[in-house]
Amino acid sequence: MQQYISMDEYALCIMILLFIFVNALSIFHKRKKAQLIISTTFLAVITVLAIVLLESNTYDIFAANLLNIYPFSMFFVALFSVGLIMVNIISYRYSKDYFAFSLLLGFVAFGMYSVAMAYSLIEIVLGIELVSLPTAFMIMVNGKENIEAAVKLFILSAIGITVLAFALVLLFPFDPQLSLTSISSMTGYLPVLALLLVIAGLAFEASIFPFNLWVPDVYSGAPANITAMLAGINKKVAFVALFEILFITMIPFSAAFSSMFQVLAVFTMFFGNIVALVQDNVKRLFAYSSISQAGYIAIGIAAATAYGVESSIFQIAAHLFMIIGTFAIILWLETKNIKTVQDYLGLSSRNRFAAFALTIFMLSMIGVPPLMGFVGKFLLFTSAINQGLLYLTLIAIINSFISIYYYARVMMSIYSKRPHEKVSMDWSIATVSLISLIVVILFGLYPQPFISIASTVSMSL
Amino acid sequence: MIPIIGIMLLLLSIGLAVTIVFNEKYSKVISTVVSLIVMELAILLLYVFLAGAAGSPGSISENYMYYISNFGISLNFVVNPVSLALILMASVVSFVTMLSGNVENENLKVSSILVLLFELAAIGLFASGNLFIFFIFWDVGVVALFFMIYLLGSANRRMAAIKFIMYELLASLLLLFAIMLIYFNTPLHSFDISYITANYSSIPVGTQALIFSLFFFAFLINMPVFPVHLWLPDAHTEASTQGSMLLSGVLTKFGGYGMILAFIMLPIANEFTPVIAILAGFSAFYAAFVLMTQHDIKRIIAYTTIVEMSIVLVGISAFSTLGIMGATYAMLAHGFAISMLFLVSGTIGYMFSDRDIRSVKGVVRNSISTAYTFLTGVFATTGVPLTAAFVGDVLIFIAAIQKFSLYGAIPLFSIMLMGAFLYYVVNKSILSTKDASKPVEYVGTSQRVGFSILLFFIFLFGVLPFIALSIFSNFSI
């Protein structure tokens, strides 16, 4: 459907390319503040352009069959850009080598955009690779103590990508172009094997059980600004890839992957929540909590309907804001050497805003109305019930119940009466957590606009 | 017509925002004024309802913006007789809590914010015409009280707060599951309570029973009744005076109101009524016996809540117009009486820095108003004639005898047991003048004003029961 291509689309592509270029330049000019302003501006412009294209409901294939512009891709371009803006802002102060970070951020961003706008399966694999390998280097440039986490991430994402690439090889006979369209004449066991391998490969990135054993080590070993990106954005990229491959290419097998994801969702939720119960390190606790959140998101895939995807998309956006806000505060507290649940005792007397924001994020993760996390969970549960997956909803509800305990533990230590000196928060952390807080509360109180966007997005898939 | 519920909720939200912004000095004044206006609006609501009840079916409904439109969830409020009585009670109790509950005058800002938040949740919940909105306000109320226990409570508040939140959120998750099941089993996929009431028969019988049992356990935890009551004594003992007043006075009514809704929505409940009544009766006796082994005044009063709410459940399980009326009236009366008792015991605890009935003696020597308010509170809990609880108990037991023949009257003895022990407490501790304990502090004026407001309502609905009963003139199930 080649039609007249609007200025916005040109502008978007040019902006994305320019963004990588200016970020690469940062290691030469070495001006920290200028670099922050430039990259934030570019990301903001990309966000605005993507939202414009999303609102105008454009369907186009652009740049030599490379970039697929439709509401689904535009939504995620916008969402990832907002996430990257937030990660960029918190990394400004707390990254050891901000210029190297900036350079790598360009690659990561391009990887994310190419997954979101993928036209072929190859692009998805390359995009995933571009997202995860630079992330490993981002961890590494922060110093020797992070090398273990970096190597773990590097090796495991390499394995994941290999498995994914092998899946594509198996699909090659059915569609030599490997384009992201429904492959109709799939027979035999090869496509089923490919489906399994796709799920396995992407489950590494999406931290779905049993491929998530690296997650807690890497999340707690990496500096918290990178952890925010890993949990907030990188994981979501894998989910986007899953949506694209499963709901476009593999749609004839929807019954098969639905039942697979039911099992995976159940195990992921239980694993994340039960192990989180005994964690003492707050960063590790939130690593496990984000695993369990991946389990909730997987419920939407298990429902295997447009409505299920819609609710997954909502929950993805909700979790992105919640977890980046949370890790921003954790990052700031880590520099003050406040790491374990015991160290959090009396946090409210140190900084009232940090205590309040963390509490709201945790309540949202539990799913307490009227916050964004609740709306997401509600949509997911209803999508499962709608497909007759009553037991899955029941298990998810039991899991929400288990999760109350460890969140409540942190909340209680935050608000225990333990007088401390006041500590003021610097502007970057305050900005990021305030943005997340406003989004979580606003779209919790009035989720309708966001839900209708998610619905358009899932319909366009 | 004036959208009174909308104005009440808007006013409370504005008050909440203003209290958060302003500093500690003004927070109590602002929030007291806001809750006073809300109380007056609730009385206006009663007037409007009574004025309309003669000709119309006797319900007020208001509809606002959509929350999630693909589910047809809007902010829609319906006031029926049951909810009207409870809105009135909740607004009065919240006002008194705000005015005089903070006996120590500490943490004014935090307590004002939390009381207003809880009042918002309570009024929204009782007025909701939609199960989804009901659920949202339920959780807001629970979270507000969790922080109330945890931030303002006494020494062992940590364990009490975590017990409270675990039990209550378990209830809310069961509730969520039940309302989602209802949604997908009604023909037009709706959360609307009146629609569900009209179309319950299209839900398969097995599913109806499943949904009802989910509702039942959720509300049983909240009420609370015997096997799932364990959070209550700790939460009440450890919470601040304000926290206990709201917990017992208003939060337990969430469960009672929900139980009435569940019975009305799903008449399949009728098949379970004997079991429910036996459970409720057992719970009443159990709590009355456990009550006798306690020494802490607050803990004793906490157990009377279990007895009273079990009696309310007996009334609901009779499942007749009279039974529901009685249960509503008993909840109304209990809300006033129990919050007054907690206010008094908080005052006593503040005066003597001690709440043990073995060591606190001769309250009457030091503060006549406190001592006699406690005595009146005991009257009002045990259902002495001319107090509001009497009317409620009479209605409940008439309904229970109609339904279960004379067996229905058995739970009455648990009230007698409870009363006997409460009079023993009054005699031994409050009124005994032998070696009276020395007070550390003295009772303030705001507490006396609070006593008198609650006493006024207790006797108003006891002496003139027709005020509350006339709202039921068009009510039948």
Side-chain angles (χ1 to χ4, degrees):
Chain A
M1 216 173 32
Q2 282 289 356
Q3 24 170 292
Y4 129 90
I5 289 176
S6 68
M7 284 308 291
D8 298 334
E9 293 168 50
Y10 278 115
L12 181 70
C13 298
I14 290 168
M15 278 295 159
I16 290 173
L17 292 175
L18 269 180
F19 176 65
I20 303 169
F21 183 65
V22 294
N23 270 3
L25 282 184
S26 74
I27 49 170
F28 301 110
H29 64 64
K30 297 255 178 195
R31 285 203 191 106
K32 224 174 157 184
K33 202 172 257 173
Q35 179 53 34
L36 174 74
I37 293 168
I38 290 171
S39 49
T40 308
T41 317
F42 269 95
L43 284 169
V45 171
I46 291 172
T47 314
V48 171
L49 286 172
I51 290 173
V52 168
L53 287 169
L54 169 67
E55 286 298 317
S56 63
N57 230 343
T58 321
Y59 288 84
D60 259 322
I61 294 156
F62 196 66
N65 285 357
L66 264 181
L67 302 176
N68 201 349
I69 292 174
Y70 59 117
F72 179 82
S73 65
M74 286 305 104
F75 175 78
F76 280 105
V77 168
L79 188 68
F80 293 151
S81 307
V82 173
L84 287 174
I85 289 175
M86 298 205 283
V87 171
N88 195 10
I89 291 175
I90 54 173
S91 301
Y92 171 70
R93 283 283 286 273
Y94 295 97
S95 190
K96 276 224 176 96
D97 187 349
Y98 180 66
F99 305 108
F101 171 84
S102 224
L103 168 72
L104 293 166
L105 189 75
F107 291 113
V108 171
F110 189 71
M112 285 165 186
Y113 297 148
S114 63
V115 172
M117 305 204 281
Y119 179 70
S120 72
L121 294 172
I122 302 274
E123 245 179 289
I124 292 178
V125 178
L126 292 180
I128 295 276
E129 203 163 348
L130 261 181
V131 169
S132 48
L133 301 188
T135 311
F137 289 107
M138 276 183 187
I139 298 173
M140 217 180 280
V141 294
N142 267 287
K144 273 188 189 143
E145 67 275 12
N146 297 317
I147 289 216
E148 188 198 334
V151 170
K152 264 187 188 157
L153 178 63
F154 185 89
I155 291 174
L156 281 152
S157 36
I159 295 172
I161 291 157
T162 319
V163 172
L164 192 58
F166 189 60
L168 296 201
V169 173
L170 295 179
L171 284 178
F172 181 72
F174 301 99
D175 180 12
Q177 289 175 333
L178 286 176
S179 63
L180 198 61
T181 48
S182 179
I183 301 172
S184 48
S185 61
M186 286 207 274
T187 46
Y189 64 90
L190 276 186
V192 180
L193 190 57
L195 174 70
L196 278 175
L197 290 176
V198 163
I199 292 174
L202 288 172
F204 271 106
E205 302 291 328
S207 73
I208 288 173
F209 187 83
F211 306 101
N212 57 7
L213 297 171
W214 59 274
V215 169
D217 289 345
V218 173
Y219 281 23
S220 60
N225 55 334
I226 309 296
T227 313
M229 194 172 89
L230 276 168
I233 320 178
N234 286 16
K235 199 166 82 180
K236 310 309 190 271
V237 173
F239 272 107
V240 172
L242 272 175
F243 289 146
E244 285 173 336
I245 298 182
L246 295 181
F247 288 96
I248 297 177
T249 314
M250 294 291 188
I251 197 70
F253 296 100
S254 65
F257 71 71
S258 161
S259 49
M260 267 182 239
F261 267 91
Q262 287 170 34
V263 179
L264 291 178
V266 169
F267 279 104
T268 313
M269 286 186 290
F270 270 119
F271 175 79
N273 279 325
I274 289 176
V275 186
L277 288 178
V278 294
Q279 298 306 317
D280 233 17
N281 184 322
V282 176
K283 215 162 148 193
R284 241 182 139 76
L285 190 149
F286 277 103
Y288 283 108
S289 118
S290 80
I291 289 178
S292 70
Q293 296 283 337
Y296 296 124
I297 296 170
I299 293 175
I301 302 179
T305 51
Y307 177 49
V309 177
E310 174 191 331
S311 30
S312 282
I313 287 172
F314 191 93
Q315 181 70 358
I316 281 175
H319 187 241
L320 184 141
F321 287 106
M322 295 186 291
I323 204 77
I324 291 183
T326 310
F327 275 118
I329 294 171
I330 289 177
L331 169 69
W332 168 67
L333 289 174
E334 240 175 19
T335 57
K336 306 265 181 287
N337 217 4
I338 300 169
K339 285 174 183 163
T340 61
V341 179
Q342 279 74 40
D343 297 340
Y344 274 61
L345 283 171
L347 181 68
S348 67
S349 65
R350 286 184 211 264
N351 191 313
R352 212 167 260 197
F353 173 70
F356 175 71
L358 264 184
T359 309
I360 293 287
F361 294 140
M362 280 188 279
L363 287 176
S364 175
M365 284 182 208
I366 297 176
V368 171
L371 297 169
M372 203 172 172
F374 162 71
V375 181
K377 266 191 189 172
F378 177 75
L379 294 176
L380 284 167
F381 293 173
T382 42
S383 75
I385 291 188
N386 207 4
Q387 287 306 102
L389 302 172
L390 215 59
Y391 83 95
L392 194 57
T393 316
L394 195 61
I395 286 174
I397 283 177
I398 291 170
N399 268 289
S400 300
F401 178 60
I402 297 172
S403 73
I404 297 164
Y405 179 77
Y406 59 86
Y407 290 124
R409 229 176 102 223
V410 182
M411 271 190 257
M412 294 174 110
S413 68
I414 286 175
Y415 279 107
S416 63
K417 285 183 186 127
R418 198 70 67 90
H420 287 291
E421 285 176 35
K422 285 228 179 301
V423 187
S424 65
M425 201 185 239
D426 69 278
W427 65 270
S428 56
I429 304 291
T431 316
V432 169
S433 43
L434 193 65
I435 293 173
S436 307
L437 196 63
I438 290 171
V439 169
V440 167
I441 294 177
L442 193 68
F443 288 119
L445 285 174
Y446 190 48
Q448 188 49 48
F450 212 96
I451 292 174
S452 42
I453 292 174
S455 151
T456 342
V457 167
S458 70
M459 288 299 170
S460 75
L461 190 66
Chain B
M1 203 180 70
I2 327 159
I4 299 175
I5 298 285
I7 294 175
M8 279 162 115
L9 294 178
L10 190 68
L11 201 64
L12 283 169
S13 330
I14 294 170
L16 200 59
V18 172
T19 318
I20 289 174
V21 172
F22 272 76
N23 72 3
E24 185 135 2
K25 220 161 56 184
Y26 305 107
S27 55
K28 188 179 171 182
V29 180
I30 294 167
S31 48
T32 311
V33 170
V34 167
S35 51
L36 175 66
I37 300 172
V38 169
M39 183 179 97
E40 279 158 7
L41 283 172
I43 295 169
L44 179 66
L45 188 71
L46 175 71
Y47 173 75
V48 171
F49 192 92
L50 285 178
S56 70
S59 80
I60 298 171
S61 66
E62 293 169 23
N63 231 319
Y64 298 102
M65 65 158 197
Y66 275 101
Y67 186 68
I68 303 177
S69 62
N70 10 355
F71 290 103
I73 302 166
S74 60
L75 284 179
N76 119 18
F77 297 109
V78 176
V79 179
N80 55 33
V82 182
S83 57
L84 179 63
L86 292 175
I87 287 172
L88 189 65
M89 188 276 289
S91 60
V92 173
V93 169
S94 308
F95 169 62
V96 175
T97 308
M98 201 60 256
L99 180 72
S100 45
N102 203 336
V103 188
E104 296 87 1
N105 259 325
E106 283 167 355
N107 294 317
L108 286 177
K109 184 165 175 174
V110 179
S111 69
S112 308
I113 292 171
L114 291 174
V115 172
L116 282 184
L117 186 63
F118 183 76
E119 188 177 2
L120 178 74
I123 289 174
L125 180 128
F126 291 137
S128 55
N130 181 311
L131 283 177
F132 193 83
I133 302 294
F134 179 92
F135 172 75
I136 287 184
F137 282 119
W138 173 292
D139 265 19
V140 172
V142 166
V143 170
L145 270 185
F146 165 73
F147 281 108
M148 200 143 196
I149 297 171
Y150 188 65
L151 295 180
L152 309 172
S154 53
N156 288 324
R157 62 188 186 279
R158 194 184 158 83
M159 202 54 222
I162 207 151
K163 243 186 199 174
F164 171 76
I165 194 92
M166 294 297 273
Y167 268 102
E168 288 294 335
L169 287 187
L170 175 65
S172 90
L173 290 169
L174 293 176
L175 189 62
L176 178 63
F177 193 49
I179 67 173
M180 287 195 293
L181 278 180
I182 277 204
Y183 178 79
F184 284 105
N185 280 297
T186 44
L188 275 183
H189 288 206
S190 171
F191 287 113
D192 193 66
I193 291 172
S194 55
Y195 178 80
I196 296 166
T197 316
N199 291 288
Y200 70 90
S201 51
S202 54
I203 305 173
V205 176
T207 321
Q208 270 188 52
L210 174 66
I211 296 171
F212 177 73
S213 39
L214 285 170
F215 272 138
F216 179 71
F217 282 110
F219 298 136
L220 204 64
I221 291 173
N222 188 283
M223 279 182 79
V225 172
F226 163 61
V228 283
H229 66 284
L230 293 167
W231 61 270
L232 184 127
D234 282 345
H236 283 67
T237 321
E238 299 306 327
S240 62
T241 309
Q242 288 182 310
S244 330
M245 286 170 79
L246 291 180
L247 261 174
S248 228
V250 185
L251 185 88
T252 52
K253 310 303 178 289
F254 286 14
Y257 177 62
M259 197 67 95
I260 292 176
L261 277 188
F263 269 74
I264 292 177
M265 278 190 300
L266 302 163
I268 194 161
N270 219 350
E271 292 175 18
F272 303 107
T273 44
V275 185
I276 296 172
I278 290 170
L279 180 68
F282 180 76
S283 166
F285 279 104
Y286 171 84
F289 281 114
V290 176
L291 176 80
M292 294 183 185
T293 62
Q294 306 298 326
H295 302 296
D296 186 336
I297 295 183
K298 258 188 157 178
R299 228 177 154 79
I300 292 168
I301 300 168
Y303 275 102
T304 67
T305 307
I306 305 179
V307 178
E308 280 292 320
M309 292 311 284
S310 307
I311 301 294
V312 168
L313 187 57
V314 171
I316 298 171
S317 70
F319 200 36
S320 58
T321 310
L322 210 57
I324 302 286
M325 264 165 79
T328 313
Y329 211 100
M331 284 198 280
L332 175 83
H334 179 244
F336 293 131
I338 205 79
S339 50
M340 190 170 83
L341 276 177
F342 272 115
L343 182 57
V344 177
S345 58
T347 314
I348 291 175
Y350 178 64
M351 280 168 69
F352 299 99
S353 303
D354 186 11
R355 295 192 307 250
D356 196 316
I357 53 166
R358 290 166 299 187
S359 52
V360 173
K361 294 212 182 276
V363 180
V364 70
R365 273 278 176 85
N366 301 299
S367 166
I368 295 172
S369 63
T370 314
Y372 285 107
T373 313
F374 189 89
L375 183 59
T376 323
V378 171
F379 287 157
T381 335
T382 43
V384 169
L386 291 189
T387 61
F390 173 70
V391 185
D393 286 352
V394 166
L395 291 173
I396 285 177
F397 285 108
I398 291 174
I401 290 170
Q402 278 174 351
K403 175 96 176 180
F404 307 109
S405 74
L406 275 179
Y407 295 115
I410 293 174
L412 195 56
F413 296 103
S414 68
I415 301 184
M416 289 182 187
L417 280 172
M418 177 183 82
F421 186 71
L422 288 176
Y423 292 126
Y424 163 75
V425 170
V426 170
N427 201 19
K428 189 180 173 207
S429 165
I430 311 285
L431 295 183
S432 95
T433 45
K434 227 191 284 173
D435 41 76
S437 5
K438 278 266 167 292
V440 189
E441 306 277 350
Y442 286 94
V443 57
T445 321
S446 66
Q447 276 74 39
R448 289 203 203 114
V449 177
F451 296 159
S452 53
I453 294 171
L454 289 172
L455 281 172
F456 170 75
F457 278 99
I458 288 170
F459 285 111
L460 177 72
F461 290 116
V463 179
L464 308 169
F466 59 84
I467 296 177
L469 289 179
S470 58
I471 61 176
F472 285 95
S473 55
N474 286 322
F475 177 78
S476 68
I477 51 168

